[in-house]
């Protein structure tokens, strides 16, 4: 795993820009005190520790699921009651935390999106100027799939025997299913402690 600025660059910055535009105070105009948007964030009680105040005074965070005392399973039950039991985890299309299942789902159901993620995978091969964990140039190559094979050639149809032998059962299960948590701008699955907990990685 390398450094990732995905949530900050692709989600948080665009949201703040849009909020400022909606309020009528685009950057760098100062937003007057007392002018703010209320932002509803769907963190359930399982992840209450991730519920935080906004870091700017023109946004105020509200966590309705926590106020209702709803856990992840309460949400699943509710969605199931509406016939939406197969609602996928929220995440970006080209997320490096996808498992084979998510990659197959994109490939088999959304050809245009599959083309998009294959191109994205090719585009990140050299990373960026501060790509590795210490903020230096990436010496190797970056891939979205854990096999470190271009996505359109990666073994996503099943976990291979070699992968299972190398990874062990638990990591092999994650290779198939991806990380358990979804991802939102305010509960990013790339947060270090979350990744370490989910993948058993060291920093
Ligand atoms: S889903 Fe989250 S961790 Fe994955 S690429 Fe998007 S912001 Fe990053």
């Amino acid at each position: 795993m390398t450094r990732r600025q995905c949530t900050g660059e692709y989600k948080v910055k665009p949201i703040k820009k849009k909020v400022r535009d909606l309020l009528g105070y685009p950057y760098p105009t100062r937003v007057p005190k007392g002018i703010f948007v209320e932002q509803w964030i769907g963190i359930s009680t399982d992840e209450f520790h991730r519920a935080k105040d906004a870091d700017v005074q023109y946004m105020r965070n509200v966590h309705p699921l926590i106020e209702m005392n709803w856990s992840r399973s309460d949400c699943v039950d509710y969605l199931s009651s509406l016939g939406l039991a197969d609602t996928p985890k929220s995440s970006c299309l080209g997320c490096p935390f996808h498992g084979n299942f998510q990659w197959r789902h994109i490939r088999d159901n959304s050809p245009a999106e599959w083309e998009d993620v294959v191109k994205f995978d090719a585009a990140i091969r050299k990373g960026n100027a501060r790509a590795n964990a210490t903020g230096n140039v990436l010496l190797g190559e970056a891939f979205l799939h854990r096999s470190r094979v271009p996505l359109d050639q990666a073994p996503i149809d099943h976990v291979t025997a070699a992968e299972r032998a190398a990874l062990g059962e638990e990591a092999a299960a994650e290779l198939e299913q991806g990380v358990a948590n979804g991802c939102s701008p305010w509960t990013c699955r790339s947060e270090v402690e979350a990744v370490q907990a989910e993948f058993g990685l060291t920093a």
Side-chain angles (χ1 to χ4, degrees):
M1 279 290 174
T2 65
R3 285 160 59 91
R4 292 166 304 285
Q5 298 107 310
C6 41
T7 281
E9 294 296 324
Y10 300 153
K11 296 179 174 177
V12 175
K13 277 189 190 172
I15 287 173
K16 286 181 174 172
K17 179 178 182 308
K18 185 66 180 176
V19 165
R20 282 176 151 278
D21 290 347
L22 289 171
L23 290 174
Y25 299 96
Y27 181 84
T29 311
R30 196 179 72 80
V31 183
K33 205 169 177 183
I35 303 284
F36 62 91
V37 298
E38 189 175 276
Q39 179 173 236
W40 289 28
I41 301 173
I43 296 174
S44 61
T45 54
D46 317 66
E47 295 189 296
F48 74 94
H49 58 284
R50 301 176 95 178
K52 299 186 177 115
D53 291 335
D55 60 356
V56 289
Q57 52 96 15
Y58 57 85
M59 292 160 76
R60 289 197 189 164
N61 292 349
V62 179
H63 303 97
L65 296 177
I66 290 177
E67 287 174 12
M68 295 191 303
N69 199 29
W70 275 28
S71 65
R72 182 196 298 252
S73 65
D74 290 323
C75 298
V76 171
D77 289 347
Y78 177 68
L79 289 166
S80 301
S81 75
L82 300 175
L84 300 169
D86 57 354
T87 300
K89 302 171 214 175
S90 56
S91 71
C92 300
L93 271 179
C95 179
F97 298 104
H98 282 338
N100 291 339
F101 173 82
Q102 287 87 14
W103 293 128
R104 286 196 304 275
H105 187 78
I106 298 171
R107 180 194 66 188
D108 298 342
N109 296 287
S110 309
E113 291 181 336
W114 177 246
E115 192 180 331
D116 191 10
V117 290
V118 167
K119 277 189 196 158
F120 179 67
D121 175 60
I124 65 168
R125 203 66 77 230
K126 288 296 169 195
N128 64 35
R130 296 175 63 241
N132 76 6
T134 54
N136 294 312
V137 175
L138 193 66
L139 295 178
E141 295 184 314
F143 297 85
L144 287 178
H145 193 265
R146 192 170 181 153
S147 64
R148 284 167 285 172
V149 170
L151 192 55
D152 55 352
Q153 299 158 44
I156 63 171
D157 283 306
H158 61 273
V159 176
T160 64
E163 286 171 326
R164 193 172 297 282
L167 295 171
E169 283 306 317
E170 198 175 330
E174 283 164 346
L175 178 58
E176 172 59 19
Q177 291 298 328
V179 300
N181 290 339
C183 189
S184 85
W186 319 106
T187 58
C188 181
R189 47 169 62 161
S190 74
E191 284 176 7
V192 172
E193 72 275 16
V195 173
Q196 287 178 336
E198 300 255 5
F199 272 91
L201 298 173
T202 52

